[in-house]
Amino acid sequence: LCVWRMKSASCVLVLLCVAFCSALTPSFQVTEMTGFKVAATYNQSTLYDIELENSPYESNQPIQLLDLHAPNAYSSGFAYAMLVGHQGVQNYNYLMASVFQTKAQQEVVEMFLQWQWDNYLSKQVPQQFLDELQGIADAGKAQNLPHLYKDVLYAIVLANFPGNVGENVYWLLVNEAKDKGFQGFNGLESEKILDLMKNAFRRVPLMHCSMFGVWGSRTTNTSLFTMRNLDWLPNSGIAVNKLITVFHPRGGHAYATIGFSGLIGALTGMSSKGLTVHEATNDVTQETFSGFAWTLRLRELMQKSANLKEATDFWKRTNNTLGMNHGVGSAPDKNFLALETMAGYTAFFGADDPREADYFVTQPNGTKIQMGFPMPEAVWRTNHGYDPTIISVETSPPTSYSSDSEKRYLLIHDSFTWYQSQSILIDHLQAINVTSVVADKGSDFYSCANTAGATNVLSVTYLPESLDMWVAFEVGGTGTSKPHLPACCGTYAHINLSHWLLPSA
């Protein structure tokens, strides 16, 4: 372990040396937003093209920002579909083509998703989101996009299978079958459904996501920096339609989600109150769809919460679905919480939590190794948990330091430790550096020389106190004329969201 950590520190040092000299590293570049231009309008809502100093994207495929202003959720959904409905359909078609080998497979899965939505997942979705979906449906019909509603709906359900889809479906069906009112899908038994889903989803790679929050004596001006990496289904084509969506809900806080057209939930995001939301899957046996779909849940959390207490209270009032690690950062509190979840249970983790340090794993030779290394003023997660109850139901807990999730956990830990040892305060470049290093690049976390198999499609670093973010999307590949490059090896675009999130800006 000591040798591995020394190697990590030296690699970070190499990256930082370049970063300090030219604001670049071998893994990423940083560019500035130079302006924005109107691409389309509908009533009070506007779609913008974000203009960058050095854009890595095709000239006709810029990062877009959709600023939604509407009197109610229905009208917001209608405006969403009128402005980016065609892009949403294109993204759904890209996604389906990358996942399923045949149209028949896609149709079977869509019936399964509809069944899960109708019987389970829709039951705890607040009315505002149902109204928004109805607006999307009606606007789709108005534009001769009759399948748009289903495309958006199925994307919500698919997002609720973020990890090992086969295992997710298996444990979901096992737990649903315990309900006396359980009715099979299309007359099929659970085993047959599982076989169908495993075969259909066999091309979907495992998710390798990560997040952190760091603040206080570790950072410049004691500011909170947070991040989110989405490592999943690369080169599908959906990055052709990169989208930041800003919502202005009546009676709530404005917030932005960062993702792709047609995905109306929050893969990650930031609110006008300086809260950021994050997710990384953690497959467990205790799973259900009788809960609040997580991408919509994170949206409502940003809408209704102004600090960590309000966010925590909101979380306790609503219900989990599948096993996941979530994160909430709060600029007002200068703090970050990790939420390890499964059906019916959430473990909340702050900085330097003893439960994390108490996690040991027994090796084949009988020795025990420590798996958790918490520290003050920092919280981070990859794809496993540290709460004993969560660990007890994980389907693939880490078994050694070479386990993928544990390796990435240690990368973040060692980066923070190295900065501390060198008396370097973390500013945005250092925060982006750690964000980039831990994201999946293929064979080497510290090099973008060989990115075959790299899965990082979205990488974001936030400075929520000033509503700044540095966002990178995967570049090239399907739907473009450029070679594919994972987000973390590309260009992080610095975008300040004050203009859209703050009414006085």
Side-chain angles (χ1 to χ4, degrees), residues 286-306:
Q286 301 304 304
E287 303 191 328
T288 181
F289 266 13
S290 295
F292 195 163
W294 72 268
T295 59
L296 300 180
R297 192 182 188 188
L298 293 185
R299 278 183 56 185
E300 186 155 336
L301 183 151
M302 290 189 287
Q303 175 182 332
K304 291 188 173 182
S305 307

Side-chain angles (χ1 to χ4, degrees), residues 105-116:
Q105 281 184 337
Q106 178 181 333
E107 290 173 351
V108 169
V109 168
E110 287 176 338
M111 288 189 290
F112 173 78
L113 298 176
Q114 188 72 55
W115 170 55
Q116 286 294 311

Side-chain angles (χ1 to χ4, degrees), residues 35-173:
F36 48 89
K37 64 180 180 181
V38 175
T41 62
Y42 183 80
N43 291 341
Q44 288 76 45
S45 298
T46 306
L47 179 66
Y48 297 96
D49 290 340
I50 299 297
E51 298 173 321
L52 302 176
E53 185 177 17
N54 294 297
S55 176
Y57 310 114
E58 304 271 2
S59 60
N60 63 339
Q61 297 172 1
I63 297 174
Q64 292 193 302
L65 187 146
L66 177 57
D67 191 25
L68 290 171
H69 290 268
N72 51 53
Y74 172 87
S75 299
S76 181
F78 200 97
Y80 181 98
M82 293 300 291
L83 290 169
V84 296
H86 286 275
Q87 295 95 312
V89 170
Q90 183 183 44
N91 269 0
Y92 184 79
N93 290 335
Y94 274 138
L95 194 64
M96 294 300 100
S98 69
V99 172
F100 304 116
Q101 293 179 307
T102 67
K103 188 67 175 178
Q105 281 184 337
Q106 178 181 333
E107 290 173 351
V108 169
V109 168
E110 287 176 338
M111 288 189 290
F112 173 78
L113 298 176
Q114 188 72 55
W115 170 55
Q116 286 294 311
W117 173 262
D118 290 341
N119 289 275
Y120 301 98
L121 200 57
S122 66
K123 303 302 184 183
Q124 296 187 37
V125 172
Q127 189 62 43
Q128 65 164 331
F129 295 119
L130 299 178
D131 291 345
E132 183 177 283
L133 285 166
Q134 187 59 54
I136 290 172
D138 291 346
K141 293 174 184 176
Q143 299 179 88
N144 196 29
L145 299 173
H147 206 262
L148 174 61
Y149 166 74
K150 291 295 182 71
D151 292 351
V152 172
L153 184 66
Y154 296 154
I156 294 171
V157 185
L158 276 172
N160 235 64
F161 290 113
N164 185 318
V165 179
E167 284 190 351
N168 288 162
V169 173
Y170 173 79
W171 289 109
L172 183 69
L173 294 173

Side-chain angles (χ1 to χ4, degrees), residues 18-31:
V18 180
F20 285 135
C21 298
S22 62
L24 304 175
T25 77
S27 297
F28 67 86
Q29 299 181 11
V30 176
T31 192

Side-chain angles (χ1 to χ4, degrees), residues 117 121 125 129 155-163 168 207 209 228 230 232 258 265-269 277-281 288-289 291-302 314-315 318-327 341:
W117 173 262
L121 200 57
V125 172
F129 295 119
I156 294 171
V157 185
L158 276 172
N160 235 64
F161 290 113
N168 288 162
M207 182 179 280
C209 299
R228 152 77 147 128
L230 173 62
W232 183 75
I258 293 85
L267 299 172
T268 184
V277 293
H278 314 254
E279 182 271 345
T281 187
T288 181
F289 266 13
F292 195 163
W294 72 268
T295 59
L296 300 180
R297 192 182 188 188
L298 293 185
R299 278 183 56 185
E300 186 155 336
L301 183 151
M302 290 189 287
F314 166 81
W315 199 265
T318 52
N319 295 318
N320 301 334
T321 52
L322 275 63
M324 298 179 200
N325 291 329
H326 289 287
T341 73

Side-chain angles (χ1 to χ4, degrees), residues 210-211 226-230 243-245 255-259 265-271 275-279 294-295 298-299 302 327 458-462 469 471 473:
S210 52
M211 61 177 129
T226 67
M227 79 82 166
R228 152 77 147 128
N229 277 313
L230 173 62
L243 187 65
I244 301 163
T245 307
Y255 60 91
T257 63
I258 293 85
L267 299 172
T268 184
M270 179 165 59
S271 77
L275 267 66
T276 60
V277 293
H278 314 254
E279 182 271 345
W294 72 268
T295 59
L298 293 185
R299 278 183 56 185
M302 290 189 287
L458 175 64
S459 188
V460 193
T461 301
Y462 298 100
M469 70 175 183
V471 56
F473 294 87

